[in-house]
Amino acid sequence: MEKWECMVCGYIYDPAQGDPSRGIPPGTPFEDLPEDWTCPDCGATKDMFEKV
Amino acid sequence: MNRYVIIGNGVAGVTAAQSIVRAQPGADLHIYAAEPYPYYRRPQLPDYIAGIVAEAAIFYRPPEWYEQQGIHVHLNAPVVELDPSAYRLRLAGGTSVPYDRLLLATGGLAWVPPIEGADQRGVFTLRTLDDARAIRQFAQFVRQGVVIGGGLLGLETARALRALNLEVTVLEFAPYLMPRQLDREGAAVLEGLLRQMGIQAVTGAVSEAILGDGSVRAVRLKDGREFPADLVVCSTGIRSEVTLARQAGLTVARGVVVDEHLQTSAPDVYAAGDVAEAGGIVYGIVPAAIEQARAAATNMVTPGSITYSGTLPVTTLKVVGAELTSLGECVAEGDDLLQLRRADLQNGRYRKLALRDGRIVGAILLNEREHISPIRQLMESGTDVSAWADLLMEENPDWNRIR
Ligand SMILES: Cc1cc2nc3c(=O)[nH]c(=O)nc-3n(C[C@H](O)[C@H](O)[C@H](O)COP(=O)(O)OP(=O)(O)OC[C@H]3O[C@@H](n4cnc5c(N)ncnc54)[C@H](O)[C@@H]3O)c2cc1C
Ligand SMILES: [Zn+2]
């Protein structure tokens, strides 16, 4: 699965890890994150991410 | 065809440019930028100083990319004058540039209160890549660093200096660290984390003078204490960069005042990001800069089409590697609140829940990653948890039992 990078701060969303702090289980592709999901490091919105 | 001009190529300027070319491919679009660099990620500057990320990695895109998108970026091109009635601006070299729609995205500047001796060699602020380069360079040759200001930025700066093996002291004015996100007990846990990293935090510390003979030697507090320093970074606040807006006669309060369409007091002149004051607030954070830039861009293309109603504050922050989440009435006090606290100094963890009428109305969670989501759910559902006080403070509660 593809990793996505935050254009603002460089955080990388890795589907293999998910985002446990928001209850996103490992194995969740970026596309399936809720629309209101934001970067855990800087708060940027989902559309500020680009495929690595 | 409209000619769009953006002043500033920070996240607000670049986001707005992208939105404009997306909405109107082939638009005539120019960015004028004071700095010599294409857009880079400001939040990564501490990691760059620390040597954790290379300089090349903080740039978002190579310079050619902007041209490919139809965005003409003029670097090293500070705008020195704006005449909204003539729809023109002037560059430092004297060139006059016309526009039809203008976005002010000039961001902010590091602000230093009047501290005696702040103009000496070895005293820095951190806002730009040039600042970061200078700090990184200087830090190679010295041993003791002092950061004045224990906010998020100050602590990140301290962490970066520590990574370069300096002895680091943070001097914070407030009685404890991060008073808007943390209570006193939580701040003590954070201070413990800093100590483990080799960073000393001194709170209630009013910096009065930077001592030295042209090169910094120490910082003196109002109470007379002195902290030896070869390098000082002042992280004492950000102010909107309103020089141009003032000169142009736009309405300026703390920032350039914008209406719900992100328009300033001058027609066809918009503002977004750290320079803008929207609904009485200068946000000073990336998510707000992005939201405002998008809305401003949309209105520049089609005036009056989108209203901006504010940005929700970010609830999770990374502080020196620790994850800090502050929810709801996190630092509120009062007889009607029951405060449950769990501090694990050894592991740098802290959990504070504020209950009113049996319902969680506020929380502070430091390094409690796996508990954020269940606690947030309990808050949002307004579940009565009064029967579960013991469970709430267990190290690893089985949240499913609360139903
Ligand atoms: C070290 C550091 C870490 C940070 N970390 C975070 C974080 O983790 N999360 C978060 O949300 N925020 C963070 N911030 C804040 C964040 O960087 C700002 O909110 C954001 O950069 C604002 O973007 P902006 O485009 O409005 O302004 P800026 O990024 O300041 O960009 C404005 C640009 O305009 C240029 N300019 C100014 N005047 C003129 C002129 N007259 N002519 C031409 N160009 C001009 C400036 O040179 C600058 O390049 C951090 C800031 C710093 C300094
Ligand atoms: Zn981010």
Side-chain angles (χ1 to χ4, degrees):
Chain A
M1 271 184 291
E2 279 140 342
K3 296 182 183 174
W4 288 65
E5 181 178 25
C6 175
M7 146 187 173
V8 178
C9 75
Y11 165 88
I12 291 180
Y13 176 78
D14 180 356
Q17 317 229 300
D19 178 9
S21 66
R22 324 290 172 85
I24 307 291
T28 308
F30 185 81
E31 292 81 353
D32 291 355
L33 292 172
E35 278 316 303
D36 60 356
W37 180 85
T38 55
C39 173
D41 279 7
C42 78
T45 44
K46 212 180 150 183
D47 46 355
M48 283 281 114
F49 279 70
E50 277 166 4
K51 251 181 234 163
V52 182
Chain B
M1 190 162 85
N2 275 327
R3 182 184 171 88
Y4 299 98
V5 171
I6 295 172
I7 308 177
N9 74 331
V11 65
V14 168
T15 302
Q18 274 183 292
S19 300
I20 290 172
V21 291
R22 231 173 256 161
Q24 210 180 84
D28 182 16
L29 172 58
H30 295 263
I31 302 183
Y32 292 90
E35 290 186 68
Y37 313 106
Y39 167 62
Y40 57 89
R41 301 176 180 118
R42 235 171 260 293
Q44 279 190 316
L45 291 177
D47 278 351
Y48 159 72
I49 293 175
I52 297 167
V53 301
E55 187 172 303
I58 72 173
F59 291 99
Y60 166 55
R61 283 294 143 77
E64 317 81 73
W65 182 83
Y66 297 89
E67 287 297 327
Q68 284 159 13
Q69 304 292 306
I71 303 170
H72 305 294
V73 186
H74 308 266
L75 299 174
N76 253 325
V79 176
V80 293
E81 207 182 302
L82 166 61
D83 183 351
S85 58
Y87 283 73
R88 282 192 166 269
L89 44 85
R90 198 165 55 79
L91 304 180
T95 314
S96 171
V97 176
Y99 66 84
D100 297 301
R101 306 263 155 78
L102 180 72
L103 179 69
L104 272 176
T106 51
L109 299 169
W111 176 81
V112 181
I115 301 177
E116 194 188 314
D119 53 355
Q120 299 181 77
R121 207 174 100 84
V123 183
F124 300 90
T125 55
L126 174 57
R127 178 73 190 178
T128 64
L129 178 53
D130 281 338
D131 295 337
R133 279 182 167 174
I135 292 170
R136 183 168 162 73
Q137 178 79 30
F138 198 85
Q140 317 283 328
F141 307 104
V142 301
R143 256 192 45 229
Q144 283 176 315
V146 166
V147 177
I148 301 179
L152 187 62
L153 205 54
L155 295 179
E156 287 301 325
T157 306
R159 181 181 58 93
L161 294 177
R162 186 67 199 119
L164 296 176
N165 270 324
L166 271 70
E167 289 167 27
V168 185
T169 304
V170 177
L171 304 175
E172 167 58 42
F173 180 91
Y176 53 89
L177 297 171
M178 305 190 68
R180 265 174 306 169
Q181 288 88 10
L182 280 173
D183 57 1
R184 194 178 282 276
E185 292 82 353
V189 176
L190 180 60
E191 275 179 39
L193 277 172
L194 291 168
R195 242 189 328 272
Q196 282 172 21
M197 303 172 72
I199 298 168
Q200 184 197 6
V202 182
T203 52
V206 185
S207 301
E208 189 181 55
I210 299 173
L211 310 175
D213 51 6
S215 285
V216 53
R217 179 172 58 74
V219 178
R220 191 182 68 219
L221 304 187
K222 204 165 171 202
D223 62 16
R225 275 183 291 171
E226 282 185 19
F227 294 88
D230 311 306
L231 180 159
V232 173
V233 181
C234 296
S235 183
T236 38
I238 302 295
R239 291 289 180 276
S240 301
E241 170 50 289
V242 295
T243 318
L244 205 54
R246 277 234 166 83
Q247 170 272 314
L250 305 182
T251 304
V252 174
R254 289 211 306 128
V256 177
V257 176
V258 293
D259 64 13
E260 72 277 17
H261 298 119
L262 282 314
Q263 198 181 238
T264 67
S265 57
D268 297 313
V269 178
Y270 295 77
D274 284 11
V275 71
E277 178 175 327
I281 302 173
V282 177
Y283 286 88
I285 51 169
V286 168
I290 292 175
E291 239 181 288
Q292 292 175 2
R294 291 221 173 104
T298 307
N299 289 330
M300 286 166 76
V301 174
T302 314
S305 57
I306 277 201
T307 54
Y308 168 78
S309 53
T311 298
L312 285 177
V314 191
T315 49
T316 297
L317 302 166
K318 274 265 166 64
V319 201
V320 293
E323 195 165 289
L324 171 62
T325 302
S326 312
L327 301 168
E329 301 178 47
C330 57
V331 293
E333 301 279 344
D335 293 341
D336 59 333
L337 290 174
L338 171 65
Q339 313 267 9
L340 302 175
R341 296 188 166 92
R342 177 172 207 291
D344 178 351
L345 284 162
Q346 192 129 39
N347 296 304
R349 298 178 64 154
Y350 182 68
R351 185 188 313 153
K352 198 278 290 262
L353 303 176
L355 275 61
R356 182 183 289 118
D357 303 329
R359 288 164 178 86
I360 304 173
V361 294
I364 297 173
L365 304 164
L366 186 62
N367 280 332
E368 291 268 301
R369 196 168 230 277
E370 66 275 27
H371 304 309
I372 300 170
S373 178
I375 289 170
R376 195 194 287 262
Q377 278 167 26
L378 289 172
M379 278 179 78
E380 281 166 4
S381 62
T383 306
D384 187 338
V385 296
S386 40
W388 300 99
D390 290 343
L391 179 107
L392 294 174
M393 289 294 110
E394 279 176 20
E395 183 177 358
N396 283 307
D398 178 3
W399 298 106
N400 291 322
R401 287 176 55 203
I402 307 181
R403 275 293 127 86

